[in-house]
């Protein structure tokens, strides 16, 4: 059985990772659809889908819950899945809001945090937030137990590894000893800088005040004061997510193209997965140029004579010239892929060649799903 | 368009969706400017580290370093930019370990939205002003990928909202002026001739014009398959294939002493069909791009490579020169 088929028959969570522009989102959607075709109730959690892909999945806006792709859409595409496909586009901010609601002990605490200006600034932008919220959502969906399979697309990060580290980065920030050390005295001193006894703390606070102004500092201090008691919830959830990702239910699919940069990143990522106790399920190699037979041996002199001959000679010369160009790129791709094979065994690979059509609708996704199972 | 005009703004900001070849185009623009006699600095903002590799140089850091004659590279890291800012603005050296801790940077940049981006843009402003340190004629900013770039460029406008007075507010205003002056700064978007990158390019363009109000220049459509075959060629090839008249090609080959096996003919037809089909898709998307923007489009060829290296960058630079001359 090919790696994707194996994963579909044994796993409940699939995390698709890889660098930007390699077809991660399309791959995630195609896998979820494939599972639905086979009779599963599958959900795909996307982060940043292209408009047409989103609309073919029936996604018009960010949402916090998956929506079922309608039978009407399937019928229009001439598809009859035995199962169900659910899809959602992550809304980072409202996921964050709902976490605050869950861990806060009083209504008042919720209100205070949600209306805090510092919170409003960071809830969408603080580094690691999107990743943390994606994992949070994944955990919720899994814990609800409604789906046979959940496929999650990862946020576009500078490099694929950021996504593994990001949730910790966020919780570390919120729980920073440095911050508590400085801000709690500030709060206790009622916002008066000079009442803060700790010299280093007061230097720090004065500096921050100079740069961003007192108002901002007050907002921030208020936020952290209100967040007290909630860190434990955040951290516990981060630990639970980490356990889930390491469990037998989960596997990672690394998506790459044969281009050097993306291969380097995929290699690095696959190696890192193994080192982190995470299950590496498959490597999907997208955008591979097709290959036909071996290089045609033609001397430049013969090519020149063809160009000058009449009849189909010039056409043949162009065809050979074109073939040579493709041999050049396929040779380079093979070189990159061979170096990848030294780190990731080929029996875990699935190659998806360039299709002659683009997969932006449901029937296109079915085609990709077929390739993923066959490749 | 004459290159003088093309290279008139000192700051060229290059952006596009991930995986479209943004860094390659930024490097090629640097080569174009350097060939034109400019001293160039390429500033990378997201520590990808691919830029020095393109020029066969070792790593780059916060201090501009010559990667190839006339082309300098640097990596603008918010931590470093903050330290420099504190030093210049408040004469505050990094005495305490606190100021270098990543939490401090996270914290201080989280307090005010976009402060991190302001620090990076502020560094570009310093370079542009050239009051201290090396002087550059062209500064190329290898900007974050499109989505984040909009947040990045609108940071100065947003910050004057959050911080209403003081030096930071004033400095944010300087940055707004810099970005909105077409004689000083311009954005070049890079895209692939594919569905997703093009629709993202058009959306980005609209925000650049309406909200950020920054000038945009030619859009670079990267990795376009060259027209190895004309429409007539494809038509003739189809005739041959449809009629099963492959021996016509074999005959032409034999005339120059070339023996073509069946397998060879399959390969020739396969590659010809592939490039024709992919080009048709690309042309369709390029048409959509042309309809969607007033800006000219410069097509850059697919180089039939699968990695980055200086010879390729030089070739792209040639194509940019040719494309710009035709505008």
């Amino acid at each position: 059985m090919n790696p994707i088929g194996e994963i579909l028959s044994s796993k409940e969570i699939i995390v698709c990772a890889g660098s930007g522009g390699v077809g991660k989102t399309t791959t995630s959607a195609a896998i979820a659809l494939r599972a639905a075709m086979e009779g599963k109730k599958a959900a795909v959690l996307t982060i940043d889908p292209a408009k047409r892909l989103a609309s073919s999945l029936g996604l018009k806006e960010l949402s916090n819950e998956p929506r079922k792709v309608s039978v009407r859409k399937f019928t229009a595409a001439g598809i009859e899945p035995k199962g169900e496909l659910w899809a959602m586009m992550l809304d980072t901010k409202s996921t964050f809001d709902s976490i605050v609601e869950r861990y806060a002990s009083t209504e008042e605490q919720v209100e205070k945090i949600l209306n805090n200006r510092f919170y409003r600034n960071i809830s969408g932008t603080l580094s690691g937030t999107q990743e943390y919220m994606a994992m949070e959502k994944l955990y919720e969906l899994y814990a609800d137990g409604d789906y046979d399979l959940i496929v999650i697309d990862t946020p576009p990060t500078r490099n694929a590894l950021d996504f593994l580290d990001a949730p910790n980065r966020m919780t570390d920030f919120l729980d920073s000893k440095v911050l508590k050390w400085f801000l709690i005295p500030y709060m206790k001193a009622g916002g008066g800088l000079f009442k803060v006894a700790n010299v280093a703390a007061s230097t720090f606070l004065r500096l921050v005040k100079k740069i961003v102004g007192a108002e901002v500092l007050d907002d921030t201090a208020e936020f952290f004061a209100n967040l007290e008691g909630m860190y434990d919830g955040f951290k516990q959830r981060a630990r639970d997510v980490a356990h889930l990702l390491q469990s037998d239910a989960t596997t990672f699919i690394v998506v790459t193209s044969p281009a050097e940069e993306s291969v380097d990143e995929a290699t690095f990522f696959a190696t890192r997965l193994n080192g982190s106790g995470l299950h590496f399920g498959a490597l999907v190699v997208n955008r591979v140029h097709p290959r036909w037979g071996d290089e045609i041996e033609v001397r430049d002199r013969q090519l020149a004579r063809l160009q000058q001959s009449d009849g189909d000679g010039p056409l043949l010369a162009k065809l050979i010239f074109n073939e040579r160009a493709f041999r050049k790129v396929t040779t380079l791709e093979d070189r990159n892929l061979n170096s990848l094979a030294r780190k990731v065994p080929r029996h875990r690979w699935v190659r998806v060649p360039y299709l002659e059509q683009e997969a932006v609708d449901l029937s296109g996704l079915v085609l990709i799903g077929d390739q993923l199972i066959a490749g | 368009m004459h290159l003088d005009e093309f290279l008139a703004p000192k700051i060229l900001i290059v952006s596009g969706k991930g995986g479209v070849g943004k860094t390659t185009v930024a490097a090629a623009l640097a080569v174009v400017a350097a060939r034109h006699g400019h001293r160039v600095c390429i500033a990378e903002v997201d520590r990808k580290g691919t830029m020095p590799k393109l020029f066969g140089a070792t790593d780059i850091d916060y201090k501009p370093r010559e990667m190839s004659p006339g082309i300098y590279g640097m990596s603008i890291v918010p931590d470093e930019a903050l330290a420099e800012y504190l030093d210049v603005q408040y004469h505050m050296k990094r005495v305490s370990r606190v100021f270098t801790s990543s939490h401090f940077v996270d914290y201080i940049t989280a307090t005010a939205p976009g402060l991190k981006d302001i620090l990076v843009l502020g560094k570009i402003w310093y370079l542009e002003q050239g009051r201290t340190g090396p002087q550059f004629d062209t500064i190329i900013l290898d900007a974050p990928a499109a989505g984040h770039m909009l947040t990045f460029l609108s940071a100065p406008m947003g910050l004057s909202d959050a911080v209403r007075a003081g030096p930071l507010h004033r400095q944010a205003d300087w940055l707004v002026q810099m970005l909105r002056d077409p004689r000083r700064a311009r954005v070049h978007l890079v895209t692939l001739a594919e569905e997703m990158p093009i629709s993202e390019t058009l959306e980005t363009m609209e925000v650049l014009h309406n909200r950020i109000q920054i000038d945009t220049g030619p859009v670079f459509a990267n990795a376009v398959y060259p027209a190895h075959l004309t429409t007539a060629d494809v038509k003739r090839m189809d005739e041959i294939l449809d009629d099963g008249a492959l021996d016509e090609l074999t005959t032409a080959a034999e005339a120059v002493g070339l023996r073509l096996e069946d397998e060879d003919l399959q390969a020739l037809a396969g590659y010809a069909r592939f490039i024709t089909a992919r080009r048709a898709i690309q042309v369709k998307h390029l048409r959509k791009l042309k309809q969607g923007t007033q800006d000219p489009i410069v097509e850059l060829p697919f180089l039939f490579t699968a990695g980055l290296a200086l010879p390729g960058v030089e070739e792209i630079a040639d194509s940019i020169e040719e494309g710009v001359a035709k505008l």
Side-chain angles (χ1 to χ4, degrees):
Chain A
M1 200 189 278
N2 105 325
I4 304 283
E6 205 181 299
I7 289 168
L8 282 177
S9 65
S10 60
K11 299 291 179 184
E12 295 164 81
I13 293 172
I14 297 175
V15 183
C16 284
S19 54
V22 294
K24 219 168 20 178
T25 308
T26 315
T27 305
S28 314
I31 291 174
L33 176 56
R34 175 77 201 185
M37 295 298 284
E38 290 175 358
K40 287 195 169 140
K41 183 173 177 187
V44 56
L45 204 171
T46 68
I47 310 291
D48 189 19
K51 267 196 179 154
R52 260 176 69 189
L53 177 64
S55 73
S56 60
L57 292 172
L59 297 171
K60 281 191 193 67
E61 60 217 6
L62 295 175
S63 69
N64 233 358
E65 294 304 326
R67 289 187 202 141
K68 191 175 162 185
V69 179
S70 70
V71 177
R72 196 171 40 79
K73 280 196 178 288
F74 284 120
T75 317
I79 306 165
E80 250 181 281
K82 288 190 213 119
E84 292 173 7
L85 178 63
W86 294 64
M88 71 171 272
M89 261 191 283
L90 180 74
D91 184 337
T92 302
K93 192 176 177 325
S94 33
T95 309
F96 206 153
D97 291 353
S98 67
I99 295 183
V100 169
E101 281 163 18
R102 182 183 330 132
Y103 294 125
S105 40
T106 63
E107 264 310 303
E108 196 198 346
Q109 195 184 9
V110 175
E111 285 301 304
K112 272 193 173 156
I113 294 178
L114 296 191
N115 291 323
N116 180 279
R117 202 158 59 154
F118 178 79
Y119 171 76
R120 293 208 307 265
N121 288 338
I122 64 158
S123 55
T125 57
L126 178 64
S127 63
T129 314
Q130 203 178 32
E131 290 83 354
Y132 184 97
M133 297 309 148
M135 289 299 119
E136 165 65 28
K137 204 69 222 174
L138 171 68
Y139 189 88
E140 280 175 28
L141 293 180
Y142 182 75
D144 287 349
D146 279 345
Y147 303 96
D148 304 317
L149 178 75
I150 303 166
V151 185
I152 178 171
D153 173 25
T154 53
T157 45
R158 188 176 67 227
N159 61 59
L161 288 176
D162 281 359
F163 139 81
L164 283 183
D165 302 326
N168 278 334
R169 198 169 148 82
M170 191 196 92
T171 48
D172 281 359
F173 173 76
L174 292 179
D175 192 23
S176 165
K177 299 282 180 299
V178 178
L179 292 183
K180 283 185 180 171
W181 188 40
F182 292 117
L183 281 170
I184 303 306
Y186 176 78
M187 285 300 290
K188 289 198 177 130
L193 274 184
F194 300 100
K195 284 182 248 161
V196 177
N198 185 319
V199 178
S202 86
T203 312
F204 172 86
L205 291 170
R206 208 171 299 134
L207 174 65
V208 174
K209 207 167 197 169
K210 255 188 190 165
I211 300 178
V212 297
E215 221 177 298
V216 175
L217 190 57
D218 289 343
D219 287 341
T220 314
E222 189 206 61
F223 169 76
F224 280 99
N226 277 308
L227 203 66
E228 249 205 305
M230 288 173 63
Y231 304 114
D232 295 340
F234 279 107
K235 294 214 109 164
Q236 185 54 46
R237 185 48 75 91
R239 276 194 294 271
D240 293 344
V241 169
H243 283 308
L244 178 61
L245 292 182
Q246 288 174 341
S247 77
D248 285 342
T250 308
T251 192
F252 283 72
I253 293 182
V254 179
V255 187
T256 187
S257 80
E260 194 181 349
E261 319 83 76
S262 132
V263 161
D264 285 350
E265 224 164 81
T267 310
F268 198 42
F269 193 74
T271 316
R272 167 81 188 269
L273 283 179
N274 288 328
S276 315
L278 300 166
H279 184 266
F280 167 69
L283 176 82
V284 173
V285 191
N286 275 325
R287 297 174 164 260
V288 183
H289 279 96
R291 284 127 169 92
W292 283 277
D294 294 325
E295 186 165 357
I296 303 172
E297 283 175 40
V298 189
R299 291 192 204 100
D300 287 345
R301 194 170 44 82
Q302 290 173 314
L303 207 53
R305 278 181 60 203
L306 273 178
Q307 278 163 346
Q308 281 146 23
S309 65
D310 24 278
D312 290 319
L315 172 63
L316 181 58
K318 284 186 191 176
L319 292 174
I320 292 172
F321 179 80
N322 183 54
E323 184 247 3
R324 280 188 173 180
F326 279 101
R327 297 292 181 202
K328 187 181 148 203
V329 67
T330 52
T331 306
L332 292 168
E333 286 180 355
D334 285 344
R335 199 174 64 194
N336 295 341
L337 294 177
N338 283 337
S339 90
L340 184 56
R342 281 193 283 276
K343 302 280 183 187
V344 184
R346 286 196 197 259
H347 68 268
R348 309 301 316 168
W349 291 25
V350 177
R351 282 179 186 233
V352 181
Y354 268 107
L355 296 178
E356 297 209 350
Q357 298 294 317
E358 286 169 302
V360 281
D361 51 15
L362 290 171
S363 47
L365 289 178
V366 171
L367 280 181
I368 296 217
D370 291 345
Q371 298 271 4
L372 284 167
I373 292 292
Chain B
M1 189 193 282
H2 196 270
L3 268 184
D4 280 329
E5 193 189 330
F6 180 71
L7 295 172
K10 200 186 248 191
I11 303 168
L12 301 178
I13 302 166
V14 183
S15 183
K17 191 175 150 49
V20 297
K22 191 168 61 75
T23 301
T24 317
V25 173
L29 277 174
V31 170
V32 169
R35 285 179 186 169
H36 200 61
H38 284 203
R39 222 162 104 101
V40 191
C41 181
I42 312 180
E44 224 178 32
V45 297
D46 52 5
R47 277 193 269 199
K48 277 186 311 181
T50 40
M51 186 62 76
K53 205 175 151 201
L54 272 177
F55 288 96
T58 48
D59 219 10
I60 48 170
D61 53 34
Y62 192 66
K63 204 169 164 314
R65 191 186 298 166
E66 198 162 17
M67 298 186 295
S68 97
I71 301 177
Y72 290 70
M74 70 179 296
S75 166
I76 305 187
V77 195
D79 313 31
E80 295 270 359
L82 177 62
E84 191 179 9
Y85 179 79
L86 293 177
D87 185 17
V88 172
Q89 189 73 34
Y90 298 104
H91 308 290
M92 206 165 306
K93 291 279 178 202
R94 284 198 279 179
V95 279
S96 164
R97 205 176 58 86
V98 174
F99 300 144
T100 60
S101 94
S102 68
H103 280 312
F104 174 68
V105 179
D106 269 352
Y107 167 70
I108 196 141
T109 51
T111 50
L115 187 55
K116 211 181 242 181
D117 300 326
I118 303 271
L119 288 167
V120 172
L121 283 170
K123 180 63 184 175
I124 297 289
W125 184 87
Y126 268 125
L127 286 172
E128 188 217 20
Q129 299 292 309
R131 289 191 194 154
T132 52
Q135 309 286 313
F136 296 107
D137 307 303
T138 298
I139 299 158
I140 292 170
L141 183 61
D142 185 6
H148 180 208
M149 188 228 357
L150 294 174
T151 325
F152 174 70
L153 291 181
S154 48
M157 296 109 201
L159 192 77
S160 50
D161 233 26
V163 182
R164 288 177 205 93
L168 199 60
H169 179 83
R170 200 171 58 240
Q171 287 146 7
D173 277 348
W174 291 345
L175 296 179
V176 175
Q177 283 165 25
M178 170 181 89
L179 293 175
R180 290 188 171 163
D181 187 343
R183 288 161 304 179
R184 294 169 71 188
R186 186 204 286 145
V187 173
H188 289 285
L189 292 177
V190 183
T191 184
L192 293 176
E194 287 173 21
E195 169 107 18
M196 292 193 223
I198 282 184
S199 61
E200 196 171 314
T201 300
L202 292 176
E203 283 163 32
T204 306
M205 192 83 84
E206 203 179 301
V207 182
L208 286 174
H209 288 155
N210 298 340
R211 199 171 71 211
I212 302 177
Q213 294 165 31
I214 186 169
D215 189 36
T216 55
V219 177
F220 295 106
N222 197 19
V224 177
Y225 285 104
H228 286 160
L229 300 165
T230 63
T231 324
D233 292 333
V234 176
K235 201 173 153 228
R236 174 67 188 138
M237 188 190 72
D238 284 343
E239 269 170 31
I240 294 173
L241 293 172
D242 290 347
D243 300 348
L246 287 171
D247 42 338
E248 310 229 2
L249 287 181
T250 330
T251 317
E254 273 164 7
V256 298
L258 185 65
R259 259 187 70 89
L260 290 182
E261 307 293 338
D262 263 6
E263 193 192 75
D264 298 334
L265 292 167
Q266 295 301 327
L268 290 176
Y271 288 118
R273 279 188 169 147
F274 179 79
I275 199 169
T276 310
R278 292 306 301 184
R279 245 192 85 84
I281 295 175
Q282 290 189 326
V283 168
K284 184 182 82 190
H285 290 306
L286 285 174
R287 209 175 298 132
K288 219 174 279 170
L289 178 62
K290 276 171 202 148
Q291 282 162 5
T293 173
Q294 308 273 312
D295 284 327
I297 292 148
V298 172
E299 292 181 22
L300 304 175
F302 177 60
L303 294 179
F304 293 93
T305 59
L308 303 170
L310 193 54
V313 175
E314 299 270 0
E315 265 183 78
I316 298 287
D318 295 344
S319 302
I320 292 178
E321 284 174 358
E322 281 166 35
V324 168
K326 280 189 216 151
L327 297 178

